[in-house]
Amino acid sequence: RMLIIVKQGHEESVQSIFDKWDLPWSRIGHVTDTGRMVVTHARQVVADIPAAPLANEAPVYYREAKKPAYLDEVQCFSVQALPDTTDPVEALKQLLRRPNIASKNWIYRQYDFMVRNSSAVTPGSDAAVIRIKEDSVPPLPGQKPFPEKYLALTIDCNATYVYLDPYEGAKAAVAEAARNLACSGAKPLGVTDNLNFGNPYKPEIFYQLKEAIRGLSEACRRFEAPVIGGNVSLYNQNPNGSVDPTPTVGMVGSIDEPEQITCQAFQQSGDAILLLGEPIAKADPLFGLGGSVYLQAIHRRKTGAPPPCDPDLEIAVNGATLDLIRRGLVSSAHDCSEGGVAVALAEACISQEIARGHPRLLGAEVDLSQIPRQRLDALLFGESHARILLSVPSSQLDVALSIAHKHQVEARHLGTVGGASLQIETGTRTLRWDLEALRRIWWNALADMTADLTDTP
């Protein structure tokens, strides 16, 4: 059920949409200027109450908030005590097996994501893109048909970040959603959220909720993406404790022209590979490793301050990306998030499927040796925000770099698309991965995991 308030004069248009889709509907009332909500039943008034106390004058509910003791410990973490990676080739394989990085095809193939053939970008890229066809909104007599629209949709949240810093983690959820839309050629329109937390009567849990909402609110204002709805799920816990605080962000954006729809997979050999944004955030003492998938998978540590989220830098990088896309210069765009640059490169090489069971694998030769660094693991697997991996025609490389710099965004030429492997030059060694092997790991990870669970007595 859904309540809709229709602009006066558009009632017939809305009713025709319901009728087209065979949806039952009822006209139940109208808006007044009396300031009161009046409900009648069988011609009898059953409720007549002032509206203001239910809306703008509703009392605000304040509960005790207390910073959890664990936050001081995790935010004092330093990577200096950790050894640097000695086997980055194996580390990348381990990361591609992680549920939050591995392909989700085992899930999305279980439902029909091609209903009415309106999916312009199917699951497996940074955001889904759907086509709103002309006949989706039947025009009134004498009106022209509504033009087709293209909408990009994404859902994001890194619950580990929010656990380690509720405020920064919630900001990062909004920022990653906006970044995913930018990689698809879209600008944010609005947000719906799903707030999953434990028992708010516990001051430490209420602190998480309060700080996460503060981060969401600030980021949504900065990205001009209003929260138009959502839901809250509390008391998510068991005797062993609460779930990680998870303010999930669903964001929708608009794409101006169908030619601007962009996917994450590399498209053609010979393209130049660019990285927009700082390779390793200069303001982050943990070099993007705090709360990272690498730290959890390789070192079994869920700790550290997550990478700081700078909305202004995010907006600049997104703006440069959209400008390049709208100029027709971008072949592919993929955000660097969980797993860092190495995972983003691998996904760009292996994530395209031209038909079921028929992937298109397109390799890359990348040189990271000129990027200043203190640690190789941070360079490859650090999760600094505000970074987007682009591929552009080699003939347009200088133009693309110039446009990025006009947006005051750092941009680097990393290498070239092509070949049957992913090859990364680090300055001390050359790393190489076979694409077919990486694809098998990434594509089958969830199915293998569920099979293992099923086989467990």
Side-chain angles (χ1 to χ4, degrees), residues 27 73 82 98 125 170 181 247 259 292 322 326 336 338 420:
R27 182 170 179 170
E73 178 182 352
L82 290 179
R98 300 288 290 192
S125 195
L181 293 188
E259 295 79 12
S292 65
L322 288 172
R326 289 166 181 169
C336 296
E338 292 169 315

Side-chain angles (χ1 to χ4, degrees), residues 62-66 166-167 170 195 197 203-217:
Y62 292 98
R63 288 210 58 80
E64 180 185 359
K66 180 181 179 182
Y167 170 71
L195 308 179
F197 290 79
E204 294 82 2
I205 300 297
F206 192 76
Y207 175 91
Q208 293 177 335
L209 177 61
K210 178 181 177 182
E211 286 298 290
I213 291 175
R214 182 167 72 93
L216 286 177
S217 177

Side-chain angles (χ1 to χ4, degrees), residues 108-119:
Y108 63 69
R109 72 184 182 188
Q110 298 184 43
Y111 65 87
D112 185 358
F113 52 80
M114 294 295 290
V115 174
R116 297 191 77 236
N117 197 30
S118 293
S119 298

Side-chain angles (χ1 to χ4, degrees), residues 135-416:
D135 66 352
S136 296
V137 183
L140 293 174
Q143 285 187 338
K144 294 181 180 180
F146 286 87
E148 286 191 344
K149 295 178 181 288
Y150 289 85
L151 299 178
L153 307 98
T154 184
I155 298 176
D156 292 284
C157 183
N158 187 322
T160 297
Y161 286 174
V162 187
Y163 169 79
L164 297 173
D165 188 326
Y167 170 71
E168 285 292 336
K171 279 202 305 180
V174 178
E176 183 175 358
R179 201 182 320 131
N180 283 332
L181 293 188
C183 289
S184 304
K187 183 177 180 181
L189 292 175
V191 162
T192 181
D193 58 23
N194 174 210
L195 308 179
N196 303 280
F197 290 79
N199 183 356
Y201 281 87
K202 294 183 177 180
E204 294 82 2
I205 300 297
F206 192 76
Y207 175 91
Q208 293 177 335
L209 177 61
K210 178 181 177 182
E211 286 298 290
I213 291 175
R214 182 167 72 93
L216 286 177
S217 177
E218 289 186 12
C220 286
R221 287 191 178 93
R222 192 65 190 87
F223 285 97
E224 298 181 348
V227 180
I228 51 80
N231 71 304
V232 179
S233 178
L234 303 177
Y235 307 98
N236 295 291
Q237 58 193 56
N238 61 34
N240 294 323
S242 170
V243 298
D244 283 353
T246 311
T248 307
V249 172
M251 186 179 288
V252 62
S254 62
I255 299 175
D256 293 339
E257 302 292 341
E259 295 79 12
Q260 297 169 4
I261 298 172
T262 310
C263 297
Q264 71 181 35
F266 291 142
Q267 298 298 309
Q268 53 190 9
S269 294
D271 275 358
I273 302 172
L274 304 182
L275 179 66
L276 301 189
E278 296 178 352
I280 303 174
K282 301 179 182 68
D284 184 2
L286 301 185
F287 315 118
L289 292 174
S292 65
V293 178
Y294 172 81
L295 198 63
Q296 297 173 69
I298 305 303
H299 294 285
R300 303 293 188 266
R301 302 288 296 272
K302 180 180 171 181
T303 188
C309 177
D310 182 348
D312 291 334
L313 182 57
E314 294 276 359
I315 289 170
V317 171
N318 292 354
T321 300
L322 288 172
D323 191 2
L324 290 166
I325 289 174
R326 289 166 181 169
R327 291 172 185 260
L329 300 178
V330 176
S331 300
S332 69
H334 186 23
D335 82 312
C336 296
S337 53
E338 292 169 315
V341 170
V343 165
L345 285 166
E347 290 174 333
C349 290
I350 65 177
S351 61
Q352 186 176 17
E353 191 173 28
I354 56 178
R356 183 166 181 175
H358 291 79
R360 180 174 185 242
L361 307 179
L362 203 52
E365 293 185 4
V366 173
D367 187 353
L368 303 181
S369 61
Q370 302 305 310
I371 298 177
R373 72 170 195 271
Q374 296 187 29
R375 301 176 62 99
L376 181 58
D377 53 9
L379 177 65
L380 294 173
F381 309 117
E383 298 176 1
S384 300
H385 298 303
R387 297 180 300 168
I388 291 178
L389 193 71
L390 302 177
S391 66
V392 303
S394 57
S395 60
Q396 301 296 323
L397 172 60
D398 291 339
V399 176
L401 289 171
S402 175
I403 291 172
H405 293 151
K406 286 181 180 179
H407 285 265
Q408 299 184 326
V409 167
E410 186 172 341
R412 290 176 179 266
H413 177 207
L414 298 186
T416 306

